[in-house]
Amino acid sequence: MKKHLNAIVFLLLVVIVGFLAWNHSRHMAQLLAELTAGSSQQRSSAAAELISGQQFSDVVSGEKRGIRVQAAVALRDLGNADAVTHTLPLLKDEQKSVRDEAVKTLEAIGAKSQANLTALIAGLTDGDINVRKGTVLVFTQEPGGIGPIANPDVVAALVNAVKSTADSSPNAHGPVGDILSSALFDPSANSRSVPLLVALLANSDDAVKEGAADVLGKIGDPAAASPLISLMHAPNVSPAVRRVVIGAIALIASPECQPSLIEALGNPHDASDARAQAAAGLGRLATPPAVSALTQALSDDNLSIRMAASGGLARAARAGEDSPVNLVVIKQLLGYLASGSPQVKLGVVEALEDARAPQADVNLSDLISSAAVDPELKLHAIRALGFTNNAGGVGALVSTVKTSSGEDAKEAGASLAKIGAPAVPQLITLLSSGGVPAYYAAIALGTQAQDPTTGAAALAALKVAASSAKPKLQRWSAVALGETGLASVRPVLQQMMKNSDPTIQYVAKQQLDKLPGS
């Protein structure tokens, strides 16, 4: 009897547990249905219950994309700090539609209260980079981003995150700097953020000082220059803090920063990366003293500093891709090119490569033609002449192709290809000469023709050359047509295969076989 009773009890327990599991499963299914298809009140209640039971992520994460999107909407309906915390993981969802909905939710509720804002800022130090980037987007996206609202005080909360997470990993100062330097915050919020960050420069914790300096550099407000310069020269400043401060001063690069940047660039005891940033800051200033300091750094023992100095000079000569050439800087550089040491000359020419300055064509051409020029310097001078529409560099480059071999001729051909239409007539003439010059001219013309916006001149000239009465010109024009890799030149090469000259037929067949679809 006792044995049977135990069995009955066991069966009852199994039935009860099974019922409870079934009932729980049914209830979870009901909550999920309300979460994704219910009214706003139902979605909010379902989300709150799942969160309180610590089941929200487990229930939602394995569901289809549409359900995960609706879960983000439900969290928006809930709207409290818990909703913010549970929306953050959706920023790393594999589906863009889910991530986008999560951003919308956080933009709507992230600054609804101080508690919500605190929960949102936690996303800036999340271990997943997608969560960090998504959180930055929530603050900065145009339109829709939270921006620098005053109630709750978003700016103060962000600055406080720099202080409170200074010793954590990852730190908040990187994302906070991205936010406060974004279009929504800078300069509209600078009057609030900069004083708060400057106050942190006096904090007893070096990590806080570094974080504040880093953010101030990203914001770039000249109002922060003086406090940063004072900290840089403080008698007890640590090397680590000084390094970050120098970088911040370099990003601000206002006139009062110049002496400190010159000092840092020339100080071998400062960290190499800080000195390199100082070079970049001096390049932004682009004043005669800045250019002089950068030129002196071209002789530094440290290769990374020499490279940074050359990059700074390039920035000084032309501030941006679409900016005009700074003629004052170019004149100063050409003076150093004429009288500087070999290291200085090399660094100046490397800077001119990026500057794309027609005003340097004569000087660079003379350098290329000099019999005594250093081989490395000559190569860089050849490259410095190669930029779009630089007609003034064509003559020296063509002469180099004719008279040189190896790397010099190859680089000269590449520079002629970059120049584009102004180089086409002389490149066609080089085809007629045959030999090595014709080979590099063919590669240059073929490369030019590939450019959909500027290649028309080269392509048209090659088609004319292909029907020339000169066999040598025809053969090399066929080579150039093959180098284009364009299916549109196939009819021209097919016509050349009908030529009575077997050599032209052979070359045309070879080039046809190189084209797409052959």
Side-chain angles (χ1 to χ4, degrees), residues 400-446:
T400 302
V401 174
K402 284 181 178 179
T403 60
S404 301
S405 60
E407 198 68 18
D408 287 352
K410 179 181 177 181
E411 288 293 339
S415 287
L416 287 165
K418 292 175 183 176
I419 289 173
V424 169
Q426 294 204 51
L427 285 171
I428 294 293
T429 301
L430 283 177
L431 291 182
S432 301
S433 66
V436 172
Y439 170 74
Y440 286 118
I443 293 177
L445 287 163

Side-chain angles (χ1 to χ4, degrees), residues 315-342:
R315 171 67 183 260
R318 187 189 286 269
E321 189 70 23
D322 299 321
S323 303
V325 171
N326 187 323
L327 297 180
V328 175
V329 172
I330 293 297
K331 182 178 180 180
Q332 196 173 354
L333 291 179
L334 294 180
Y336 290 117
L337 187 60
S339 60
S341 68

